[in-house]
Amino acid sequence: GVHAGLLKDAECAALRAHADAHHQGESDLKLDVSLGELEALVGTAAADRLVAFCGEPFDAITLRRCEPRDHLINFHLDYHTRTVQIALVDDEAYEGGRLVYATRDGLRVPPRPAGTATVHTNGVVHGVSRHTAGVRYGLFFLQRPATPRSVTQV
């Protein structure tokens, strides 16, 4: 699903600035952020809003900064059982790099203005189109699969 207005422009800008401050030339920076760091960056109210929306438990909060690499991500299923991604820039800030869902009705490319969240489970086939210009920023809340319990035979 797509959910608009989860983060305000200033909150998105603070997260982009944090990613930029940690950027050391990587074309795809993935920066783990603690809940405390998130609160310091966007404020307690925004962090609480995100946690309430994303639901717990989540195992990782990752800030991502992607530069164009003329690279795409083929259709796949995620390892994580649930992925919430909040766009931190408008679609117009970069070319390509679009999230594409494969649905029964065909391919779907959701519009993602800054502050908008997309949510999918590991049963949803998706990919990312070739990123050709601009910088794409996102904030991810990830939920890993539960560790299978071992079965003891008697």
Side-chain angles (χ1 to χ4, degrees), residues 76-108:
H76 65 281
L77 296 172
D78 283 347
Y79 164 75
H80 294 95
T81 55
R82 190 162 175 260
T83 299
V84 177
Q85 179 185 2
I86 300 106
L88 301 177
V89 293
D90 291 333
D91 286 337
E92 295 78 26
Y94 57 95
E95 294 176 20
R98 301 293 185 247
L99 178 63
V100 182
Y101 291 115
T103 72
R104 290 180 186 183
D105 299 323
L107 299 180
R108 190 171 139 248

Side-chain angles (χ1 to χ4, degrees), residues 6-145:
L6 198 57
L7 282 178
K8 299 173 184 166
D9 289 342
E11 296 159 348
C12 291
L15 291 165
R16 290 193 309 268
H18 186 69
D20 288 341
H22 287 81
H23 180 245
Q24 298 178 344
E26 306 94 332
S27 59
D28 188 1
L29 171 68
K30 295 176 185 171
L31 182 64
D32 287 332
V33 178
S34 71
L35 189 52
E37 287 173 311
L38 183 64
E39 287 176 356
L41 289 164
V42 300
T44 303
D48 288 349
R49 193 167 60 244
L50 289 169
V51 169
F53 175 80
C54 295
E56 293 194 59
F58 48 84
D59 300 292
I61 304 171
T62 303
L63 185 56
R64 194 163 176 188
R65 180 190 189 280
C66 300
E67 294 180 352
R69 296 182 288 173
D70 199 32
H71 166 83
L72 60 83
I73 299 173
N74 286 320
F75 286 103
H76 65 281
L77 296 172
D78 283 347
Y79 164 75
H80 294 95
T81 55
R82 190 162 175 260
T83 299
V84 177
Q85 179 185 2
I86 300 106
L88 301 177
V89 293
D90 291 333
D91 286 337
E92 295 78 26
Y94 57 95
E95 294 176 20
R98 301 293 185 247
L99 178 63
V100 182
Y101 291 115
T103 72
R104 290 180 186 183
D105 299 323
L107 299 180
R108 190 171 139 248
V109 180
R112 300 189 312 151
T116 298
T118 52
V119 181
H120 63 264
T121 66
N122 60 356
V124 175
V125 177
H126 63 286
V128 178
S129 68
R130 191 174 308 281
H131 183 184
T132 57
V135 179
R136 184 169 52 103
Y137 295 83
L139 180 67
F140 292 77
F141 284 74
L142 304 169
Q143 183 180 18
R144 291 186 185 97

